[in-house]
Amino acid sequence: MTTETQDEGLEYNFAYLDEQTKRMIRRALLKAVAVPGYQVPFAGREMPMPYGWGTGGIQVTASILESEDVLKVIDQGADDTTNAVSIRKFFQRVAGIATTEKTEEATLIQTRHRIPETPLSEGQILVYQVPIPEPLRFLEPRETETRKMHALEEYGLMHVKLYEDIARHGHIATTYAYPVKVNDRYIMDPSPTPKFDNPKMNRCAALQLFGAGREKRIYAVPPYTDVVSLDFEDHPFEIQGWDQPCSICGDSTSFLDEVIMDDQGTRMFVCSDTDHCASRQAQGYQGPGQEAAE
Amino acid sequence: MTEQENLQTPLLSAQSVTKTYGPHLGCSDISFDLYPGEVIGIVGESGSGKTTLLNCLAGRLTPDTGAIFYTDRLGSALNVHTVSEPQRRMLMRTDWAFVHQHARDGLRMTVSAGGNVGERLMAGGARHYGNIREQALDWLEKTEVDTSRIDDRPDTFSGGMQQRLQIARNLVTGPRLVFMDEPTGGLDVSVQARLLDLLRGLVAEMGLSAIIVTHDLAVARLLSHRLMVMRRGQVVETGLTDQVLDDPQDAYTQLLVSSVLHP
């Protein structure tokens, strides 16, 4: 199956990757889904973008994309930033599929750093771009050793990291890539999503796939799987909170970005999920910033 | 099993342990028993195979021939080199402790002193920060490390403090058997004296069994009950420490003992 592109004489296989590569990646995906949280090595390909820009996620997306899929791409919560725009364009061009910015309309969502505020539903697939898949990496540099630790479930070291946080800051100061235990077995790095999103991973109705291009690893969380954030009995896991709502849509339950407005240090807080914010505005919600402007 | 019977069963039993590195001999045909509460010193010159033997005993090196049996808390004898890897690693972080010559090899230099001491506890399933910290403080105090430095990284510590921290980190889970490889190597004499004093106190207080490798006869005399003298991979003399050092029978032991200056 090939897709005609605007460029004359240039033809890509559907979704850029050749069928053999897709097959190889799908096999890795099947294994990953069968062993939730386990990092499956795969023969990652060179993609037409640098490592760190989502080469892992894009390979996973390309392997599972079908012509009737509707794709949404998120970069730091937003649909309109460089990474999101270019990946969306890439798939429009090489697969000719439909794209959307609406979470509910998407069948496939590739994301960097955020899980949409709108709860995901059955049948949707969330693909994460992962820079460093190994949660134990900065504590134990040897890959042979970390693999052994996963195999033997020796996870004491992960708590040493949290201990260090409390000893240094008085509370668990890890705010992103917060380690989780999947299905009561593997410790997993949920990619650099803020820990605010960790509870959304737990028993999520959608299939969650993780692709790390540079490290050539794939892992997955099947629908309705337990995902528990690690903590101490006397320092339980908690998510960030803000003492003001989004200044555009007034939501006080979503993840907010801090935006510096001028040289005087004026700042405003806005929803990081642009689709969530826009649909609330369309429903007539207003934040304190909007009211002041009127 | 009663306490009495317990004391009669060797805690660790080495049976003709041999390890070679290609054509070079590490240690050859070494057998001995270590009983609960006993401290055995292994002395000899550099290259005599002391450390090779210790690494074999501690499950860190696999001997070419021979076997090493460890009697666990339930009284069953485990072959250290044929038990499953999870079981061996479990032993290493609960029942055993290994004190390295260089503290850097035994510590996590990028983790605070408290985290270093707490690691074994957390590996064992401790999940209460307050309790872990309390035990870490307790052990820093026992090993005479200034408790106000609990949140400092060990690379800011002096050599003697690092060594004491390494001991605290190893003993916090109450091991039954401690392997020490030149625990006082590279420390100046006054620091050595304090460390030896500390070790002697802890070994006696906790009823630890220990195997100590050293080239320093004074360390061996202070800490160990029994002594094995090694040369070129073989044990040339064994016996009670005082007996071996005061009345050496083997020519090499005589040379070794007479080489020490008595100021």
Side-chain angles (χ1 to χ4, degrees):
Chain A
M1 186 166 41
T2 53
T3 308
E4 293 282 339
T5 66
Q6 299 97 312
D7 307 67
E8 267 190 49
L10 244 179
E11 261 186 12
Y12 287 105
N13 186 39
F14 177 75
Y16 187 77
L17 291 175
D18 61 278
E19 293 303 313
Q20 274 304 319
T21 302
K22 288 189 197 172
R23 199 171 130 121
M24 173 271 295
I25 294 174
R26 286 178 199 143
R27 278 188 176 165
L29 285 170
L30 283 176
K31 184 168 180 181
V33 170
V35 192
Y38 172 73
Q39 298 167 46
V40 185
F42 77 109
R45 298 289 192 255
E46 293 273 333
M47 295 304 279
M49 59 202 278
Y51 286 131
W53 287 42
T55 52
I58 215 169
Q59 286 179 78
V60 171
T61 303
S63 317
I64 57 174
L65 204 61
E66 291 172 4
S67 50
E68 59 269 24
D69 267 325
V70 181
L71 181 71
K72 170 182 163 79
V73 183
I74 310 172
D75 173 14
Q76 302 264 16
D79 288 278
D80 50 5
T81 50
T82 319
N83 204 239
V85 172
S86 51
I87 291 177
R88 205 161 50 221
K89 262 192 173 161
F90 173 79
F91 280 115
Q92 271 170 345
R93 185 166 163 195
V94 299
I97 43 106
T99 59
T100 181
E101 296 194 357
K102 294 253 162 277
T103 303
E104 314 86 78
E105 288 170 11
T107 55
L108 188 55
I109 305 173
Q110 179 170 335
T111 182
R112 167 172 179 258
H113 288 186
R114 283 305 314 279
I115 299 173
E117 305 288 356
T118 315
L120 300 174
S121 55
E122 278 180 30
Q124 284 185 312
I125 300 177
L126 188 58
V127 176
Y128 296 77
Q129 303 169 197
V130 181
I132 296 158
E134 179 52 72
L136 301 160
R137 176 58 67 242
F138 291 107
L139 302 153
E140 176 53 67
R142 288 167 296 177
E143 176 71 15
T144 48
E145 186 66 15
T146 52
R147 294 193 132 207
K148 202 166 272 183
M149 289 160 82
H150 280 295
L152 303 179
E153 245 183 301
E154 286 179 7
Y155 288 136
L157 202 52
M158 205 71 248
H159 272 85
V160 173
K161 179 180 152 61
L162 301 181
Y163 171 96
E164 287 293 288
D165 263 4
I166 304 175
R168 217 166 287 170
H169 307 284
H171 60 101
I172 299 177
T174 304
T175 50
Y176 66 96
Y178 191 102
V180 292
K181 192 167 212 175
V182 180
N183 202 23
D184 205 24
R185 176 60 181 84
Y186 283 98
I187 298 264
M188 187 186 89
D189 184 342
S191 89
T193 50
K195 67 177 174 182
F196 181 89
D197 286 341
N198 274 16
K200 292 183 197 154
M201 306 181 89
N202 185 32
R203 303 204 63 78
C204 176
L207 170 64
Q208 304 174 73
L209 304 174
F210 300 76
R214 189 192 289 119
E215 305 274 330
K216 298 178 172 50
R217 294 285 185 278
I218 281 173
Y219 51 102
V221 177
Y224 303 111
T225 304
D226 288 330
V227 178
V228 181
S229 305
L230 301 183
D231 59 2
F232 284 103
E233 287 158 17
D234 48 346
H235 285 268
F237 172 79
E238 51 191 27
I239 59 171
Q240 303 91 317
W242 289 263
D243 44 20
Q244 49 183 296
C246 167
S247 62
I248 299 176
C249 78
D251 192 359
S252 53
T253 57
S254 75
F255 186 87
L256 302 183
D257 281 341
E258 184 178 0
V259 184
I260 308 282
M261 303 301 288
D262 55 26
D263 288 352
Q264 272 66 53
T266 316
R267 55 201 63 201
M268 77 187 246
F269 288 87
V270 291
C271 288
S272 122
D273 186 337
T274 51
D275 167 50
H276 175 74
C277 200
S279 50
R280 275 180 59 89
Q281 287 170 57
Q283 286 164 27
Y285 288 103
Q286 274 197 341
Q290 300 303 100
E291 286 154 17
E294 278 168 16
Chain B
M1 191 181 278
T2 66
E3 191 67 14
Q4 196 59 37
E5 276 173 302
N6 248 334
L7 293 174
Q8 283 164 8
T9 323
L11 188 67
L12 193 78
S13 173
Q15 295 171 5
S16 24
V17 174
T18 302
K19 171 78 190 171
T20 55
Y21 300 100
H24 306 287
L25 185 65
C27 59
S28 162
D29 194 26
I30 293 172
S31 306
F32 72 93
D33 288 332
L34 173 77
Y35 288 89
E38 192 178 32
V39 180
I40 289 187
I42 303 175
V43 297
E45 60 193 6
S46 297
S48 59
K50 307 181 300 269
T51 302
T52 299
L53 175 62
L54 189 77
N55 282 333
C56 285
L57 295 174
R60 296 158 61 86
L61 268 182
T62 312
D64 299 333
T65 57
I68 293 143
F69 291 94
Y70 169 74
T71 311
D72 69 7
R73 286 175 208 253
L74 302 169
S76 48
L78 307 171
N79 183 329
V80 170
H81 292 280
T82 56
V83 293
S84 65
E85 192 174 16
Q87 207 173 354
R88 182 162 61 241
R89 285 171 72 107
M90 172 70 106
L91 275 183
M92 283 181 177
R93 60 172 195 267
T94 53
D95 274 20
W96 296 355
F98 198 103
V99 178
H100 293 263
Q101 174 174 7
H102 303 290
R104 302 187 151 259
D105 298 337
L107 291 173
R108 285 192 194 277
M109 300 308 282
T110 54
V111 169
S112 72
N116 263 292
V117 179
E119 183 181 339
R120 269 178 163 240
L121 295 170
M122 289 180 256
R127 292 291 179 264
H128 192 285
Y129 176 81
N131 294 350
I132 293 166
R133 199 168 169 83
E134 207 171 290
Q135 286 200 54
L137 280 169
D138 185 41
W139 269 97
L140 290 184
E141 208 171 292
K142 274 191 194 155
T143 50
E144 298 164 24
V145 177
D146 186 355
T147 49
S148 68
R149 311 241 1 220
I150 183 167
D151 293 332
D152 293 347
R153 283 161 45 147
D155 47 12
T156 66
F157 286 12
S158 70
M161 276 169 81
Q162 286 182 2
Q163 200 55 283
R164 290 199 296 276
L165 178 63
Q166 193 194 178
I167 289 164
R169 169 184 159 93
N170 272 290
L171 297 189
V172 64
T173 45
R176 300 167 74 209
L177 175 57
V178 186
F179 300 97
M180 294 190 220
D181 188 5
E182 306 273 9
T184 59
L187 302 178
D188 70 58
V189 281
S190 60
V191 174
Q192 266 192 35
R194 277 177 65 199
L195 189 74
L196 286 174
D197 206 35
L198 170 76
L199 278 174
R200 199 152 61 149
L202 288 174
V203 165
E205 188 188 321
M206 299 174 72
L208 290 174
S209 308
I211 296 176
I212 298 171
V213 160
T214 180
H215 62 262
D216 188 335
L217 294 181
V219 171
R221 191 192 280 276
L222 265 174
L223 288 177
S224 56
H225 303 135
R226 274 202 296 150
L227 216 53
M228 281 166 47
V229 184
M230 285 185 73
R231 189 189 187 209
R232 292 183 186 157
Q234 316 233 315
V235 172
V236 293
E237 188 167 355
T238 58
L240 296 176
T241 303
D242 290 343
Q243 185 191 327
V244 172
L245 293 181
D246 293 340
D247 183 19
Q249 301 297 308
D250 183 81
Y252 174 70
T253 317
Q254 290 169 358
L255 177 77
L256 197 66
V257 171
S258 63
S259 308
V260 180
L261 289 174
H262 293 279

